[in-house]
Amino acid sequence: MSEDLPNPESRITLKDGQVMLDRKRSNWDAHLALVQKLKEKLWLADYPVVLSRAFDRRTPSHQCGTARMGRDADSSVVDPFCRSHDHPNLFIFDASVLPTSAAVNPALTVAALAIRAANHIAQTRLA
């Protein structure tokens, strides 16, 4: 498994009430080189049959980056505490605020961000 790096050409849109995913692959050559190297190492370790299959558009996993986090409102949607730059009463704590998942399941990172943001809200907005 490798990381599909952020690509500004990828889009999620609505068309006739349906969510449309237009994902542009990135880092594909590096992925193929990694798969080949892994196969070579497994063959050397006496695994004669090694199968691999890339995910296709039907199996996007760990989508991130649609509402990126950052300090600059021109290049991000939420601040470091997951608060919207444009709508001060809106907080987003899901994987969309992460620029990338680093090729792993981001669930624990998302949980940590949610706890951090909730603590920030409790300490600054609800106190």
Side-chain angles (χ1 to χ4, degrees), residues 36-117:
Q36 184 58 39
K37 180 62 77 176
L38 178 60
K39 285 182 178 182
E40 291 169 8
K41 297 296 182 186
L42 289 171
W43 289 329
L44 290 173
D46 291 329
Y47 289 89
V49 178
V50 180
L51 304 174
S52 65
R53 188 176 83 190
F55 290 158
D56 61 18
R57 289 181 181 270
R58 295 172 297 178
T59 54
S61 60
H62 312 308
Q63 297 297 301
C64 301
T66 56
R68 294 179 83 171
M69 179 191 312
R71 296 186 190 284
D72 180 13
D74 290 334
S75 61
S76 62
V77 176
V78 298
D79 70 13
F81 289 100
C82 300
R83 183 180 185 180
S84 168
H85 292 299
D86 296 332
H87 302 282
N89 200 31
L90 173 64
F91 290 80
I92 302 171
F93 355 99
D94 65 10
S96 67
V97 303
L98 304 174
T100 179
S101 70
V104 296
N105 187 322
L108 292 176
T109 303
V110 170
L113 278 173
I115 292 167
R116 180 175 179 267

